[in-house]
Amino acid sequence: MHPPVIGLDGDDTLWHSESHFVTTTARMVELLAEWVHTEAAQDHLIAVERRNLARFGYGVKAFTLSMIETAIEVSDARLPASAVQQIIDWSKELMDHPVDLLDGVAATVAELAAGHRLLLVTKGDLLHQESKVARSGLEGHFEGIHIVSEKDPATYRRILDRHGVAPADFVMVGNSVRSDILPVLELGGRAVHVPYEVTWALEHLDEGDLPGEVTRIDRLGDLPALLAAGLP
Ligand SMILES: [Mg+2]
């Protein structure tokens, strides 16, 4: 029997991402303090992001538009243009931020690549994701790199078909139960959950929603031993 093909998520599985959005959100909340208190500003932003998701998709540019829209709404359109510029400048900082790999990721991906075919499956702005993949130094370990607009069963089916991989021979590894785990289980694949320190509100599912057959590990570095022992 062949070793399973491993799918790896990018944001918050290989490199830090959500923590940068959390920092930017905190700055925006401060910018809006004269109009709205912290919690209301955060809730408003999440509601706007949810409303915009189907149109704008994921990533920094969608986040930026949602921040601007939130700021206009909570200020009753009294927000000065300089504040809009401030938000745009933060979004440029997010785009330009160096790629910070999570601890141990470089060594673990190299170790996994020695014994498995690896696929990277990540979603968000195409240009930003391409740039992060290129700057990660990990690109050469992957047989395929797939930047997608949504991680649903049809997306995973298309990727597996492209590589000639049966779902039963595929294990997806990532931090998001909603995007990395559930759609792959639905196809008949397996999955391993590696939680990140923070989860974006729109990806959030309670711990109770993790299906029983999914193994949760604390860090990606625990994956090779788990695979060697055999996944359930
Ligand atoms: Mg992720």
Side-chain angles (χ1 to χ4, degrees):
M1 201 180 119
H2 295 294
V5 175
I6 308 296
L8 292 168
D9 166 53
D11 288 352
D12 300 325
T13 297
L14 299 180
W15 48 73
H16 292 278
S17 171
E18 185 57 25
S19 49
H20 302 153
F21 285 85
V22 169
T23 304
T24 305
T25 301
R27 295 161 96 180
M28 195 198 68
V29 163
E30 214 179 302
L31 181 78
L32 301 180
E34 68 176 281
W35 292 291
V36 68
H37 65 83
T38 302
E39 203 172 310
Q42 286 166 339
D43 290 349
H44 200 108
L45 176 62
I46 291 166
V48 173
E49 287 185 278
R50 182 170 281 128
R51 194 169 80 198
N52 286 341
L53 190 60
R55 280 194 189 89
F56 297 148
Y58 299 90
V60 171
K61 283 179 274 185
F63 177 60
T64 304
L65 290 171
S66 292
M67 280 196 293
I68 292 171
E69 198 172 2
T70 298
I72 292 170
E73 287 177 4
V74 303
S75 70
D76 273 332
R78 283 172 292 159
L79 187 79
S82 59
V84 176
Q85 183 63 54
Q86 178 65 78
I87 292 171
I88 292 168
D89 289 344
W90 292 334
S91 104
K92 291 176 183 169
E93 275 180 43
L94 278 173
M95 293 296 246
D96 296 343
H97 199 285
V99 177
D100 306 325
L101 296 182
L102 273 72
D103 282 346
V105 157
T108 301
V109 171
E111 183 181 352
L112 290 169
H116 299 265
R117 298 164 66 194
L118 299 185
L119 303 176
L120 176 61
V121 187
T122 181
K123 71 173 155 55
D125 287 322
L126 179 61
L127 183 65
H128 191 210
Q129 290 291 331
E130 283 176 339
S131 151
K132 284 198 274 193
V133 170
R135 287 181 290 154
S136 72
L138 302 173
E139 199 168 8
H141 294 304
F142 291 94
E143 174 182 310
I145 290 167
H146 297 275
I147 300 167
V148 300
S149 53
E150 188 56 275
K151 288 173 152 180
D152 54 19
T155 300
Y156 285 106
R157 164 78 68 194
R158 187 164 37 83
I159 292 168
L160 293 183
D161 285 351
R162 172 105 52 97
H163 291 273
V165 177
D169 297 326
F170 181 63
V171 178
M172 183 66 195
V173 182
N175 71 296
S176 168
V177 174
R178 186 175 81 85
S179 296
D180 302 318
I181 310 290
L182 298 180
V184 174
L185 294 184
E186 196 178 319
L187 279 186
R190 288 169 292 170
V192 174
H193 187 219
V194 197
Y196 186 64
E197 57 200 51
V198 279
T199 305
W200 181 38
L202 270 59
E203 291 285 354
H204 201 269
L205 280 176
D206 290 337
E207 299 245 316
D209 293 319
L210 187 68
E213 68 268 37
V214 175
T215 306
R216 177 178 281 147
I217 54 179
D218 291 335
R219 60 192 68 79
L220 195 70
D222 295 341
L223 185 62
L226 178 70
L227 293 168
L231 274 182

